[in-house]
């Protein structure tokens, strides 16, 4: 019988763990899907891991792990993929904003030959205006940078075991799971869903965290920002040529005037371009530095009894 694994990264989600494990277990049993739930506590500071342990003790199909510290959602996803044993794997949020009702549709598409089933948002649900604007800007920027339409995409998706194995073999440390599934190729189908409201707790994403997430993922997945440095250099050169021609014409016509203000503006503009260019290059150098060091994406400090083998202190 085919088995479905569900990866659920969690950070300070102690209120959601009991509800999510209960809802998913009952729902999957009802639909006759053999399953395992893999919770990853991303260095949570509350009782998230304690709740995972309780859920695992009550249901042998539930297992989980605790990071030694907060490594981020991307690390949580990849750690979860590493611990799964199912023939197909679904990645979803543990707050159930990704609706369980979409899972049987994904499961059926997978059984019919799909190797990747993307969850596409048909409705983002209730969000504040500021969050919608910042999220919309984030997805537009990412779509332009990686040349993939990310406007309605999410981390909610089903992957065939062969796709999971491909992703786990990638040597890079800075990963962007959502885009890597597009990059990997394979036969892909989509399932639309409506984002549900959280029952407990608040979203951990803020405007600042989204900006950091966008910058990190953009530089780990695309070289377009580096090409912007060249564009800024060309713009500076063209501006300088135009100004030089204008200055020469005025001089020949005997209308040359003092250009102190113009000089200051030019210096400020070119200086801004230079500093921005250095910042972009510096960010890529930082990514290279992190990759060369070869430090792991995550470190697992504890695991529940349901995890096969001794992986305490495990890293990758």
């Amino acid at each position: 019988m085919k088995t479905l694994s569900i990866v659920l990264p969690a950070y300070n989600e102690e209120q959601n763990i009991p509800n999510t494990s209960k809802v998913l277990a009952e729902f999957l049993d009802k639909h006759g899907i053999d399953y395992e739930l893999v919770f990853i506590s991303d260095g949570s500071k509350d009782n998230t891991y304690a709740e995972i342990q309780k859920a695992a003790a009550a249901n042998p199909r539930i297992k989980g792990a605790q990071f030694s510290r907060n490594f981020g959602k991307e690390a949580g996803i990849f750690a979860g993929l590493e611990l799964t044993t199912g023939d197909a794997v679904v990645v979803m949020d543990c707050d159930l904003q990704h609706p369980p009702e979409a899972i049987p549709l994904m499961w059926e598409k997978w059984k019919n030959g799909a190797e990747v089933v993307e969850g596409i948002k048909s409705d983002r649900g209730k969000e504040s205006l500021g969050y919608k604007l910042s999220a919309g800007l984030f997805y537009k920027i990412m779509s332009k940078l990686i040349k993939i339409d990310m406007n309605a995409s999410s981390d909610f998706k089903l992957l065939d075991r062969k796709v999971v194995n491909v992703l786990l073999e990638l040597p890079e440390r800075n990963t962007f799971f959502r885009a890597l599934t597009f990059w990997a190729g394979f036969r892909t189908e989509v399932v639309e869903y409506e984002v549900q409201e959280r029952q407990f707790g608040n979203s951990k994403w803020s405007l600042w965290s989204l900006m950091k997430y966008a910058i990190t993922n953009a530089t780990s997945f695309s070289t377009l920002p580096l090409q912007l440095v060249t564009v800024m250099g060309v713009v500076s050169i063209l501006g300088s040529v135009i100004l030089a021609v204008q200055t020469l014409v005025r001089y020949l016509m005997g209308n040359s005037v003092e250009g102190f203000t113009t000089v200051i503006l030019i210096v400020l503009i070119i200086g801004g371009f230079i500093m921005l260019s250095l910042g972009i290059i510096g960010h890529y150098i930082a990514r290279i530095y992190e990759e060369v060091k070869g430090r792991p994406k995550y470190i697992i400090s504890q695991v529940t009894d349901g995890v096969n083998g001794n992986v305490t202190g495990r890293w990758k």
Side-chain angles (χ1 to χ4, degrees), residues 220-259:
S220 67
F221 203 82
S222 171
T223 58
L224 183 58
L226 278 176
Q227 298 170 31
L228 293 178
V229 175
T230 303
V231 173
M232 287 186 286
V234 171
V235 170
S236 297
I237 292 171
L238 290 176
S240 300
V241 170
I242 292 172
L243 185 62
V245 171
Q246 180 191 41
T247 302
L248 181 61
V249 169
R250 286 193 172 188
Y251 175 77
L252 294 175
M253 294 177 63
N255 296 324
S256 59
V257 295
E258 295 184 4

Side-chain angles (χ1 to χ4, degrees), residues 124-141:
R124 297 190 62 89
K126 294 183 179 179
E127 296 176 339
S128 67
L129 179 60
Y131 187 86
K132 281 187 177 181
L133 291 174
S134 58
L137 179 62
F138 165 73
Y139 291 123
K140 285 181 180 178
I141 292 173

Side-chain angles (χ1 to χ4, degrees), residues 101-168:
E101 290 76 16
I103 295 176
L105 299 175
M106 292 178 165
W107 182 248
E108 285 301 317
K109 286 181 179 289
W110 172 73
K111 289 198 297 184
N112 290 329
E115 295 165 317
V116 177
V117 183
E118 296 283 346
I120 302 297
K121 299 173 187 173
S122 61
D123 184 357
R124 297 190 62 89
K126 294 183 179 179
E127 296 176 339
S128 67
L129 179 60
Y131 187 86
K132 281 187 177 181
L133 291 174
S134 58
L137 179 62
F138 165 73
Y139 291 123
K140 285 181 180 178
I141 292 173
M142 291 306 301
S143 296
K144 292 290 186 182
L145 289 176
I146 66 178
K147 298 180 181 178
I148 297 172
D149 185 8
M150 303 292 292
N151 289 312
S153 68
S154 68
D155 291 325
F156 186 30
K157 56 191 69 187
L158 180 148
L159 308 175
D160 185 84
R161 172 52 57 182
K162 70 175 72 171
V163 182
V164 173
N165 292 339
V166 167
L167 295 181
L168 291 176

Side-chain angles (χ1 to χ4, degrees), residues 173-174 215-216 219-220 226 278-294:
R173 304 298 172 183
N174 293 287
I215 293 171
T216 300
T219 54
S220 67
L226 278 176
L278 288 175
I280 293 174
I281 295 170
H283 203 81
Y284 275 93
I285 292 174
R287 295 283 79 78
I288 295 170
Y289 177 62
E290 291 171 1
E291 294 289 337
V292 169
K293 284 191 297 185

